[in-house]
Amino acid sequence: MSVDTVKRAGQTPDERMPFAELGMKQDEYDRVVAILGRRPTGSELAIYSVMWSEHCSYKSSKVHLRQFGTKAPKSEALLVGMGENAGVVDIGDGWAATFKIESHNHPSYVEPHQGAATGVGGIVRDIMSMGARPVAVMDSLRFGGLDQGDTRRVLPGVVEGISHYGNCLGLPNIGGEVVFDPCYIGNPLVNALCVGLLRKDQIKLATAPGPGNKVILFGARTGADGIGGASVLASATFEDESQAKRPAVQVGDPFMEKLLIECCLELYQADVVVGIQDLGAAGVSCATTELAAKGTGGMTVDLNLVPLRDPTLRPEEILMSESQERMMAVVTPGDIDAFLAICEKWDVPATVIGEVTDTGRLVMTWDGEVIVDIPPGTAADDGPVYERPFHEPLGQHDLNLDTPDSLERPSDLRTTLLQLLASANLSSREWVTSQYDRYVRGNTVLAQPADAGLLRVSEVMPGAEETTRGIALATDGNGRYAKLDPYAGAQLALSEAYRNVAVTGATPLAVTNCLNFGSPEDPEVMWQFAEAVRGLADACKTLGVPVTGGNVSFYNQTGTAAINPTPVVGVLGVIDDVAKRVRSGFPAAGLRVVLLGATYDEFGGSEWAHVAHDHLGGLPPRVNLEAERDLATVLTEAAKQGLLEGSHDLSDGGLGIALAEACLAQGVGATVSLPGGDAFVDLFSESTARALVCLKPEHFETLTDLCARLDVPCYGLGETGGDSLVVEGVLEATVTELRMSHEATLPGVFG
Amino acid sequence: MARVIVDVMLKPEILDPQGQAIARALPRLGFSGVSDVRQGKRFEVEVDGPADDAAIAEVRKMAETLLANTVIEDFVVRVEG
Amino acid sequence: MARVIVDVMLKPEILDPQGQAIARALPRLGFSGVSDVRQGKRFEVEVDGPADDAAIAEVRKMAETLLANTVIEDFVVRVEG
Amino acid sequence: MRVGVVTFPGTLDDQDAARALRLAGAEAVPLWHADHDLKGVDAVFLPGGFSYGDYLRCGAISRFAPLMTELVPAAQAGLPMLGTCNGFQILCEAHLLPGALVRNAGLHYVCRDQRIRVDNASTAWTTDFAEGQEITLPVKHGEGRYVADAETLAELEASGRVVFRYAGSNPNGSLNDIAGITNEAGNVVGLMPHPEHAVEELTGAPGVDGRGFFSSIVRKLVNA
Ligand SMILES: Nc1ncnc2c1ncn2[C@@H]1O[C@H](COP(=O)(O)OP(=O)(O)O)[C@@H](O)[C@H]1O
Ligand SMILES: [Mg+2]
């Protein structure tokens, strides 16, 4: 079968090209023709169709995401901002951290194990491509209802996939979320986060400068992974079905990825890399166009040189293949031998497939004939940008009016506490987290069930200064809040992640986010999206933490039923002396228990309304960013002074759940009395900007002074000790009872 | 009592990292002349009755729903012997 | 080119939790009449030459030293077909 | 005191092992799987991980690494050797220790802090423990169920070669709750739990019970 060449495209200007089958609109196709001054070849069409897809071009979201830049707070810590593979922040002492969260939602529905596994693989390569050593992963998960059949298929597979891939890479899993809601049935969310460390003077970028430099593809061989669409291009006639059987599922090889990690680090150390890019969605198309566009501007590639796992692959398919565990590097001719020798040491196949030029053109050949000749920037950067229409959903107003005020409130608060503690979303996540290695690399200071993961910065990195610092990370997101008010919902996600970082004693520094929504072509979904982005950008500005990167996942819907809008926010913080970190929960008896922050009657979108009444309506708890910031200041300052023995933030389920979890952490009970007039509100309201801390009695006054200075409400609730949680005059439950309620739920469903 | 065998292999186009790792290791162990290795699963299903058409159809259904992940795997059902 | 198959199963006296999990799941999925399931591995080894005695002997050695752990597993080598 | 730490492709806990050795006052000497050089070390630590992806069987491919052709005779000649997790699996595959490690009975990878009883405090790696002492170490594995034929098992029990047993609940269904064993000479020890993840207050498992392994070997080498 002959291949469509540039020459042939010139000779057959009217040949029908299957752009629609590749998801391209007529006007987009017309633009390609205008750019090239002729019809594209099949290979060129392959490149433009993937590069201009929603996934790669952010065409629906771009106009909104710009706010993250325009509203960004000034931050000295930001070394690399949005637009690169991942953002990089300065964490002091010559060290930098890079982190990002990314979705792999749909593949995880189709094949949960492989989908989730390759999600971890992809985000880890993003971090590697910044020049960093990946040091930990996290996973933020959403599933359908716990009692829905498909959840029993999807969850175990997803968890096993993350477990297998992450464990095999030797990356500790230091946190995440597991949330159940029927809105995610058919559209589970698998968002994976990776964080890496590097010397701040050794950041690598995805760029191909220097004509004459070589382009090397290394890692796994290229197979027919994830090229469902490309098969129409590779078939003899576009209607030919024979080739349309390519797998839509990519299978990961974590062992190859582990080799790639060690190999890349050795390449960086040997200083033989000019530019580097991971291969993710859109594989070779994306890597070559982006590297070329950001470099000198031109590149030649001989596609015959791409090592193939499946020798029958056609060039169009090679260009679109999403085979995992591949990287592309730009290397000076003098360093080629050294580069290849390091790859050989690690058993990583590596092949020179092209060269950097100054022609401004990306030129690819196949069997000696030119099949691609394009200005790379037009594919990488000049994709279509849509101002999609949006409007408030029709029922939004009614939804907000349907407040939880009319819901019957319980009188037996003990039963309510145990019921909430055993509920799908608040029960112990141990069934999931025990499948993740949280210890490997020996730097994990806090992991589950702590509010945030915390790592000591003590990697073996040549030339790096010794430091006492640590980094903390948390991810949060609440789709129910966002459904009620996407602007506030995104801010609440940020608030909670920010607070989770602060309770460990770390100072929040920077933000990543993964925006999971339905179809952008639905104006009501688009409104949710626009509101969420606006909310997050505004809140980041107020809190002084810039967005460094992230990911958008649209089309999470079945038919017209979209998921709850689910912005997931990850916050990274730094603690100067990691030994001063605050443990999670009550570590010992005889400590004062203190509640920080004010409580209001707020049950819209609450876990109680969800569990007790299956109700979603009203407005989410009020966002109070100034209060969050002041609370964080109290927490980090108190930690620095060594005042705190333990902490836990208040979020879903309110004070009642926080107290119970704090008791469960080390099996230490507590006796407390409630500050307000309404025990139900005190225990289960989800007001924001609150945290629970415990401390030695002699430090109590210092803490109250600190709180007074920052205007943070502070209530001495009682004291730790005993085998029970006693809320005086309200309820009493032994720690064993709490544990039995908390720990039985997930094993009861998943075995 | 009869034994029905279900062989499950990854579809040919799906990456088989296990098989590849073995294939790469063989030359180092002094085995030459092997061009490829693929690793799959083998199930031995003991059925109560005879391995007649009905039993085999039943095992086939089992393979489809449980033993194989048909998104990425092919399977073959056969009677031992 | 020929294909040689190596079937590897846990020795009968070794507990096979995967097989047992499947056997336990079957009734829940509406399958009855299965008394036992055992799960093992199947390797497809592509040899360059014909599958003659020498090639089979070579694969047998491979199975013995690498593909199976004879402390816990039994294996069978056979030519496809 | 030079203790080698072996890195195979896919080894993960090598940096932890080296750190634990250094904290105990030993010099950690990196050993590379593809070399034939033991660099004159006085003892060897085979750390955990997924060598060769743990494809085929855990430890099956690593066993054939060039370095192993040096390690096996050295172990047989009395060089102290500790294999944890994947290292234990490799020792079994290499027949330096009897039996094998198979898929956890629960079919899941399990990472948790585990109570373990020391049943033999006379091996090269356990003299700083007391017999019967209970310690806490992390376990983290998917294939840690120790199995051996009845005869081997009886022989291990009779000769006191079961070094560690799971106390409390057994995380993987291993026979006789076996968590670790030794060879006849007591110089080669393999166990599924991870002492190298329990040597610092700040990180890893609660407590520092793993230190005993490293202080034992250091004491032995000093006195040698
Ligand atoms: N999918 C997951 N992966 C890793 N850790 C998780 C996951 N889900 C929950 N965790 C961890 O379990 C603990 C409890 O989770 P959760 O109750 O959601 O925390 P919080 O309410 O503080 O946000 C936390 O330490 C969290 O990081
Ligand atoms: Mg929290």
Side-chain angles (χ1 to χ4, degrees):
Chain A
M1 193 185 103
S2 72
V3 164
D4 192 22
T5 61
V6 169
K7 193 159 123 216
R8 201 174 151 269
Q11 292 160 347
T12 56
D14 301 325
E15 187 163 306
R16 192 187 84 78
M17 300 300 288
F19 61 87
E21 290 87 331
L22 294 172
M24 220 179 204
K25 300 268 163 31
Q26 178 76 48
D27 58 328
E28 295 174 342
Y29 180 72
D30 293 344
R31 256 191 77 210
V32 173
V33 174
I35 287 168
L36 299 178
R38 58 172 164 79
R39 78 156 172 89
T41 65
S43 297
E44 288 167 340
L45 184 60
I47 293 176
Y48 281 102
S49 70
V50 288
M51 291 306 292
W52 288 7
S53 68
E54 185 66 60
H55 186 73
C56 293
S57 75
Y58 289 84
K59 56 191 169 191
S60 302
S61 52
K62 227 178 204 164
V63 293
H64 300 281
L65 298 179
R66 284 190 186 123
Q67 294 170 73
F68 291 145
T70 57
K71 292 180 183 168
K74 286 278 154 290
S75 164
E76 312 230 303
L78 192 61
L79 300 175
V80 174
M82 296 211 323
E84 283 295 332
N85 284 314
V88 184
V89 280
D90 188 341
I91 57 168
D93 293 340
W95 289 84
T98 175
F99 71 124
K100 187 178 173 188
I101 186 164
E102 203 164 76
S103 67
H104 225 216
N105 301 339
H106 187 63
S108 302
Y109 173 69
V110 176
E111 213 305 288
H113 180 117
Q114 295 299 340
T118 50
V120 173
I123 192 63
V124 168
R125 283 192 300 283
D126 268 323
I127 295 309
M128 280 156 61
S129 70
M130 298 308 297
R133 172 180 277 286
V135 292
V137 294
M138 301 173 83
D139 56 319
S140 170
L141 311 176
R142 303 287 182 284
F143 301 100
L146 185 54
D147 49 5
Q148 287 180 286
D150 202 40
T151 299
R152 276 194 285 279
R153 171 187 74 97
V154 177
L155 182 142
V158 163
V159 170
E160 204 178 86
I162 293 168
S163 152
H164 181 235
Y165 205 103
N167 293 348
C168 201
L169 289 188
L171 294 178
N173 187 311
I174 58 167
E177 302 154 81
V178 181
V179 177
F180 300 94
D181 192 298
C183 77
Y184 302 109
I185 198 80
N187 294 282
L189 305 184
V190 174
N191 294 179
L193 180 149
C194 181
V195 58
L197 288 171
L198 67 161
R199 274 170 51 189
K200 94 185 227 200
D201 56 359
Q202 294 207 324
I203 298 171
K204 295 278 180 233
L205 296 177
T207 169
N213 284 341
K214 302 292 183 193
V215 178
I216 296 184
L217 183 62
F218 63 117
R221 288 180 297 159
T222 298
D225 301 286
I227 56 171
S231 53
V232 297
L233 283 165
S235 56
T237 68
F238 300 134
E239 287 74 31
D240 185 355
E241 283 288 303
S242 66
Q243 300 245 6
K245 289 270 156 57
R246 301 290 194 188
V249 177
Q250 310 151 27
V251 171
D253 180 355
F255 173 55
M256 175 59 85
E257 181 118 325
K258 169 67 178 170
L259 297 182
L260 263 183
I261 293 176
E262 300 306 330
C263 179
C264 280
L265 285 162
E266 207 164 317
L267 293 169
Y268 298 150
Q269 204 179 312
D271 202 13
V272 292
V273 175
V274 177
I276 188 157
Q277 166 79 303
D278 60 298
L279 274 70
V284 172
S285 295
C286 184
T288 53
T289 56
E290 288 192 352
L291 282 169
K294 285 198 192 132
T296 310
M299 186 183 285
T300 59
V301 172
D302 181 352
L303 280 181
N304 291 105
L305 296 177
V306 172
L308 299 181
R309 194 173 85 228
D310 173 352
T312 69
L313 285 193
R314 311 290 299 166
E316 300 89 339
E317 296 177 307
I318 295 170
L319 284 167
M320 289 179 107
S321 164
E322 297 188 349
S323 286
Q324 302 288 307
E325 293 95 22
R326 297 180 298 164
M327 304 280 286
M328 191 174 281
V330 176
V331 180
T332 63
D335 286 335
I336 291 287
D337 288 347
F339 188 104
L340 296 179
I342 291 170
C343 290
E344 174 148 354
K345 171 182 168 191
W346 287 103
D347 241 332
V348 170
T351 315
V352 176
I353 63 161
E355 193 170 308
V356 177
T357 67
D358 56 7
T359 60
R361 309 290 291 187
L362 172 63
V363 178
M364 297 189 180
T365 57
W366 180 258
D367 292 345
E369 301 229 45
V370 175
I371 57 166
V372 170
D373 185 352
I374 63 170
T378 60
D381 305 321
D382 304 339
V385 176
Y386 291 155
E387 301 253 6
R388 298 221 186 252
F390 57 84
H391 61 73
E392 190 180 288
L394 282 179
Q396 191 71 26
H397 190 60
D398 290 343
L399 183 67
N400 294 146
L401 288 181
D402 176 21
T403 71
D405 297 349
S406 54
L407 302 177
E408 190 190 332
R409 297 187 171 189
S411 51
D412 177 358
L413 298 186
R414 181 181 192 276
T415 302
T416 301
L417 177 66
L418 294 178
Q419 184 191 8
L420 280 179
L421 206 53
S423 67
N425 289 330
L426 298 180
S427 61
S428 168
R429 261 83 265 258
E430 173 94 12
W431 191 90
V432 173
T433 56
S434 69
Q435 296 187 47
Y436 302 151
D437 182 352
R438 58 183 181 273
Y439 290 125
V440 62
R441 299 200 74 68
N443 292 316
T444 306
V445 178
L446 295 175
Q448 65 83 21
D451 291 308
L454 182 63
L455 296 172
R456 166 172 72 183
V457 177
S458 98
E459 288 295 322
V460 182
M461 221 170 273
E465 259 182 76
E466 286 233 9
T467 176
T468 59
R469 288 169 200 262
I471 53 171
L473 280 149
T475 69
D476 278 295
N478 186 319
R480 289 200 312 267
Y481 289 172
K483 171 88 175 174
L484 297 179
D485 180 349
Y487 181 88
Q491 301 197 327
L492 290 165
L494 173 65
S495 299
E496 189 181 344
Y498 180 94
R499 195 185 316 133
N500 278 330
V501 163
V503 292
T504 68
T507 304
L509 262 197
V511 171
T512 184
N513 69 98
C514 191
L515 303 172
N516 305 277
F517 288 78
S519 166
E521 295 163 43
D522 176 342
E524 300 191 340
V525 169
M526 206 54 215
W527 176 82
Q528 296 174 326
F529 181 79
E531 283 296 286
V533 172
R534 194 169 66 84
L536 183 56
D538 287 344
C540 284
K541 188 168 181 180
T542 307
L543 289 176
V545 284
V547 172
T548 64
N551 175 246
V552 175
S553 171
F554 281 132
Y555 299 103
N556 295 289
Q557 65 179 52
T558 307
T560 56
I563 58 165
N564 286 345
T566 311
V568 170
V569 177
V571 170
L572 177 133
V574 176
I575 184 165
D576 291 347
D577 181 356
V578 69
K580 296 220 164 127
R581 57 82 181 77
V582 183
R583 287 186 181 81
S584 196
F586 301 146
L591 301 170
R592 288 294 288 273
V593 177
V594 177
L595 172 65
L596 304 176
T599 305
Y600 308 94
D601 186 331
E602 295 182 292
F603 287 92
S606 69
E607 208 58 50
W608 169 74
H610 177 67
V611 170
H613 296 280
D614 195 16
H615 176 269
L616 177 59
L619 286 170
R622 192 166 61 89
V623 176
N624 190 341
L625 300 170
E626 288 74 18
E628 294 293 352
R629 201 180 44 206
D630 294 340
L631 173 68
T633 307
V634 165
L635 288 165
T636 52
E637 188 55 37
K640 192 183 279 174
Q641 294 179 24
L643 302 180
L644 306 181
E645 299 300 316
S647 64
H648 190 24
D649 86 307
L650 267 61
S651 56
D652 305 344
L655 176 64
I657 293 296
L659 283 168
E661 287 176 347
C663 290
L664 288 171
Q666 306 288 336
V668 176
T671 300
V672 299
S673 45
L674 297 173
D678 182 333
F680 172 72
V681 172
D682 271 336
L683 282 177
F684 301 113
S685 164
E686 298 186 0
S687 296
T688 62
R690 296 183 301 161
L692 199 58
V693 295
C694 62
L695 64 173
K696 297 199 177 117
E698 62 263 35
H699 290 144
F700 182 63
E701 220 176 288
T702 321
L703 180 72
T704 51
D705 288 350
L706 179 62
C707 288
R709 262 212 319 282
L710 285 147
D711 243 346
V712 170
C714 167
Y715 308 93
L717 295 182
E719 198 172 295
T720 63
D723 309 329
S724 298
L725 172 63
V726 181
V727 181
E728 273 169 340
V730 180
L731 64 85
E732 185 170 342
T734 65
V735 174
T736 309
E737 282 174 298
L738 296 175
R739 195 176 299 289
M740 289 197 336
S741 297
H742 195 231
E743 291 181 355
T745 308
L746 295 192
V749 174
F750 301 108
Chain B
M1 279 263 304
R3 171 175 298 178
V4 182
I5 306 295
V6 182
D7 288 325
V8 177
M9 299 298 292
L10 283 170
K11 293 184 177 176
E13 67 273 20
I14 298 274
L15 173 69
D16 171 17
Q18 311 218 45
Q20 300 226 326
I22 297 165
R24 277 201 306 268
L26 287 174
R28 266 183 282 123
L29 309 183
F31 294 106
S32 56
V34 171
S35 56
D36 196 18
V37 178
R38 296 194 56 93
Q39 176 173 342
K41 296 176 192 157
R42 172 189 160 95
F43 297 93
E44 298 182 353
V45 181
E46 311 285 341
V47 296
D48 292 338
D52 53 15
D53 285 358
I56 292 184
E58 188 78 354
V59 173
R60 188 180 307 281
K61 236 167 61 197
M62 233 174 260
E64 227 164 66
T65 47
L66 184 65
L67 304 182
N69 174 355
T70 52
V71 178
I72 52 173
E73 292 170 329
D74 292 327
F75 65 88
V76 175
V77 177
R78 59 199 168 77
V79 179
E80 178 84 302
Chain C
M1 279 261 305
R3 170 174 299 178
V4 182
I5 307 294
V6 182
D7 288 325
V8 177
M9 299 299 291
L10 282 172
K11 292 188 172 171
E13 67 270 23
I14 305 270
L15 173 72
D16 170 19
Q18 312 197 58
Q20 302 224 324
I22 293 164
R24 273 198 311 272
L26 286 174
R28 262 186 285 127
L29 300 175
F31 295 105
S32 56
V34 170
S35 56
D36 195 19
V37 179
R38 297 198 50 94
Q39 175 173 342
K41 295 174 194 158
R42 170 190 162 94
F43 299 91
E44 298 183 354
V45 181
E46 311 284 340
V47 297
D48 291 338
D52 53 14
D53 285 358
I56 292 183
E58 186 78 355
V59 174
R60 187 178 308 280
K61 231 168 67 196
M62 226 176 267
E64 223 167 334
T65 48
L66 180 68
L67 301 182
N69 176 354
T70 52
V71 174
I72 47 169
E73 294 168 327
D74 294 326
F75 67 89
V76 176
V77 177
R78 61 199 166 77
V79 179
E80 177 84 303
Chain D
M1 296 149 293
R2 292 159 45 81
V3 181
V5 176
V6 183
T7 301
F8 295 96
T11 294
L12 305 178
D13 298 319
D14 42 354
Q15 98 161 19
D16 308 66
R19 186 191 291 113
L21 285 163
R22 283 195 304 272
L23 288 173
E27 181 189 349
V29 180
L31 299 179
W32 180 243
H33 74 108
D35 291 343
H36 278 280
D37 186 1
L38 291 183
K39 298 188 181 161
V41 293
D42 308 307
V44 170
F45 192 137
L46 283 154
F50 288 72
S51 57
Y52 291 96
D54 271 359
Y55 296 142
L56 184 57
R57 281 185 319 280
C58 304
I61 300 179
S62 309
R63 164 197 167 195
F64 294 99
L67 190 74
M68 290 302 288
T69 54
E70 313 301 320
L71 274 181
V72 171
Q76 282 158 349
L79 186 71
M81 206 170 284
L82 180 70
T84 61
C85 199
N86 197 219
F88 184 17
Q89 293 160 342
I90 293 169
L91 291 173
C92 289
E93 283 280 343
H95 305 304
L96 285 171
L97 293 173
L101 293 143
V102 298
R103 188 88 187 262
N104 292 353
L107 298 179
H108 293 299
Y109 183 99
V110 49
C111 174
R112 72 183 200 202
D113 303 327
Q114 173 74 40
R115 300 289 302 159
I116 288 144
R117 196 174 71 234
V118 181
D119 271 4
N120 176 340
S122 60
T123 76
W125 301 87
T126 53
T127 48
D128 277 5
F129 295 110
E131 212 151 289
Q133 185 181 347
E134 281 199 8
I135 59 177
T136 298
L137 299 176
V139 291
K140 31 170 236 180
H141 57 249
E143 306 192 19
R145 183 164 61 94
Y146 183 78
V147 297
D149 59 47
E151 202 179 317
T152 307
L153 221 49
E155 152 75 22
L156 284 174
E157 294 287 2
S159 55
R161 285 167 57 198
V162 174
V163 185
F164 304 102
R165 249 182 261 272
Y166 300 114
S169 75
N170 181 331
N172 52 36
S174 64
L175 296 180
N176 296 12
D177 295 328
I178 289 174
I181 58 173
T182 182
N183 63 350
E184 273 171 57
N187 64 312
V188 178
V189 173
L191 76 164
M192 287 314 295
H194 290 263
E196 76 281 10
H197 290 319
V199 294
E200 293 181 282
E201 294 286 358
L202 188 63
T203 59
V208 292
D209 288 345
R211 285 182 185 169
F213 288 76
F214 305 98
S215 57
S216 295
I217 192 69
V218 166
R219 187 184 313 280
K220 177 181 169 71
L221 296 179
V222 168
N223 295 339

